[in-house]
Amino acid sequence: MRRGILCIAIMVMLVGCGRKTPPVPPNAVIPQAISNLEYKADDTGVTLTWTYPERSIDGRGIDNIRTFHLHKAIIPEADYCQECPVAYDQVIKVDGRGIEPKTKLTYMDKDLQAGYHYVYMVQSDSGWRIKSAESNRVDFSQQATLLSPVEVNVATGDQVLTLAWLPVTTREDGSDAVDVKYQVYRGTSPAALAPIGEVTPEPRYVDRGIANEQTYYYNVRAVTFRTAGYASKTVSGMGLDMVPPVPPRNVKVLSLPQGIQLHWTPSTDTDLGGYRVYHQKEGDEGWQQIGTAPKGAIGFKDITPLSPGIHYFVVTSFDLGTRQNESEYSLKVRYTAP
């Protein structure tokens, strides 16, 4: 009887000492895999971006991600195989606490060398054993940096500036640069330039619709696919108003006891700067400016004695722009001095 009881006790002990499997977290707390990992590389390094997941793998809302694990593989270009499994060399931790779901996260990796292929993948980590599946992968070859465009110049126009530069054909190590395009950067301060427009295959860019009388600063980078080279030197330009105002109308001349008085209907241009008055004696060539009037004026008095004979007067309008564009002459008026 005792032997039977002993056997039962041993069996119970054996069953009770079996290996336990680790607890599996519920699907409600495991974040969905990130699917929009992207990169952009230039001479300063590579910028990686992705979005904070908003759902768990069973579709519920989630906001408990503590850390993002950014995995990085560094492979010599000669050894890279697109179909081969990837062994990641580094794990970069990015803090996820206090970040709202759907927020775009950014990490810049400056530790790159030419001649290597880089592969990145990111996972969300919400705690012990609560880790998402792998994200999509991004990969690229780090070639020698593209040289900067040179001889960048700016041509001025009315609400337009045109940039031109020499094509970039080589990289920093002297190797050929193929399929090169260009990205233009612009700002109203040389310290705050941002990309404008789409990349262009031509070494030329026309910036239309700018504000006249405003200084703009530019530089240019050569780009291939998603990698950008060194920035060119910064240049500047200013759009200039090149459209003159209309001349005043209904110009008339009156005789004064001493000199003459001109009257006119003023120009209606919003950027009017003022008026210029010109005189010519019959038989002379060309017009001589004899005075100016402010933009609010409707006339001009000249007390300079006139020699006997026939004299002519015209009036022009000019604007407030840097060029002070001047209108055509008004219809000339005739005056006979006694």
Side-chain angles (χ1 to χ4, degrees):
M1 181 67 178
R2 289 181 179 177
R3 181 177 296 177
I5 293 172
L6 181 61
C7 290
I8 293 172
I10 292 172
M11 291 177 64
V12 171
M13 290 174 63
L14 289 172
V15 173
C17 294
R19 178 173 294 179
K20 296 181 179 179
T21 59
V24 176
N27 290 342
V29 297
I30 301 176
Q32 292 179 345
I34 293 165
S35 60
N36 65 342
L37 178 63
E38 297 180 346
Y39 80 92
K40 185 175 182 180
D42 59 25
D43 60 288
T44 61
V46 60
T47 301
L48 298 134
T49 59
W50 65 92
T51 303
Y52 189 119
E54 60 176 321
R55 300 287 177 186
S56 65
I57 60 176
D58 72 350
R60 302 185 193 183
I62 192 169
D63 62 359
N64 64 333
I65 295 174
R66 299 180 184 177
T67 310
F68 292 95
H69 290 234
L70 184 61
H71 299 258
K72 174 183 178 182
I74 308 167
I75 308 166
E77 188 62 44
D79 299 335
Y80 175 67
C81 166
Q82 187 173 5
E83 293 79 18
C84 298
V86 176
Y88 293 99
D89 303 281
Q90 298 178 14
V91 179
I92 303 165
K93 294 184 178 181
V94 179
D95 193 357
R97 293 171 296 181
I99 300 175
E100 294 292 327
K102 298 195 293 184
T103 299
K104 188 173 183 179
L105 290 97
T106 300
Y107 181 83
M108 184 170 187
D109 187 4
K110 297 183 179 181
D111 187 15
L112 304 179
Q113 294 183 26
Y116 286 85
H117 200 93
Y118 292 90
V119 185
Y120 293 88
M121 176 272 292
V122 66
Q123 289 178 286
S124 308
D125 187 340
S126 298
W128 184 70
R129 294 183 59 81
I130 307 177
K131 188 176 293 185
S132 72
E134 296 184 359
S135 73
N136 62 300
R137 296 177 182 175
V138 294
D139 66 282
F140 62 94
S141 294
Q142 183 68 3
Q143 296 178 295
T145 306
L146 291 160
L147 295 179
S148 59
V150 296
E151 296 190 26
V152 183
N153 60 75
V154 184
T156 298
D158 191 343
Q159 294 188 318
V160 62
L161 290 171
T162 302
L163 285 80
W165 55 89
L166 293 182
V168 173
T169 58
T170 57
R171 297 180 178 272
E172 191 174 29
D173 62 356
S175 60
D176 292 339
V178 297
D179 299 325
V180 175
K181 296 182 181 180
Y182 303 93
Q183 177 66 64
V184 176
Y185 297 75
R186 183 189 72 189
T188 53
S189 163
L193 304 184
I196 58 167
E198 301 293 331
V199 294
T200 172
E202 300 298 326
R204 183 175 181 272
Y205 183 81
V206 181
D207 192 9
R208 302 183 187 278
I210 61 170
N212 284 335
E213 311 299 328
Q214 165 70 58
T215 300
Y216 291 91
Y217 298 88
Y218 300 88
N219 65 29
V220 186
R221 290 177 186 262
V223 298
T224 55
F225 189 45
R226 294 186 183 180
T227 60
Y230 292 114
S232 70
K233 70 175 184 179
T234 299
V235 296
S236 63
M238 176 189 292
L240 297 177
D241 181 3
M242 296 184 177
V243 179
V246 297
R249 297 176 292 110
N250 304 320
V251 179
K252 294 181 172 57
V253 60
L254 303 175
S255 177
L256 296 176
Q258 185 177 3
I260 54 95
Q261 173 77 50
L262 293 168
H263 288 281
W264 58 76
T265 301
S267 170
T268 57
D269 290 76
T270 56
D271 63 344
L272 183 68
Y275 302 94
R276 295 186 180 120
V277 181
Y278 296 86
H279 164 260
Q280 181 187 77
K281 185 177 181 181
E282 188 173 57
D284 293 346
E285 293 185 1
W287 294 90
Q288 280 192 326
Q289 183 178 336
I290 59 173
T292 60
K295 65 178 181 179
I298 58 171
F300 175 81
K301 180 188 291 186
D302 182 16
I303 60 174
T304 304
L306 296 174
S307 61
I310 298 174
H311 298 262
Y312 297 97
F313 297 89
V314 293
V315 184
T316 64
S317 305
F318 63 89
D319 62 26
L320 292 171
T322 301
R323 289 166 49 91
Q324 288 198 342
N325 300 296
E326 187 173 11
S327 72
E328 297 177 344
Y329 294 138
S330 67
L331 294 177
K332 65 182 180 180
V333 291
R334 174 175 170 161
Y335 175 75
T336 302

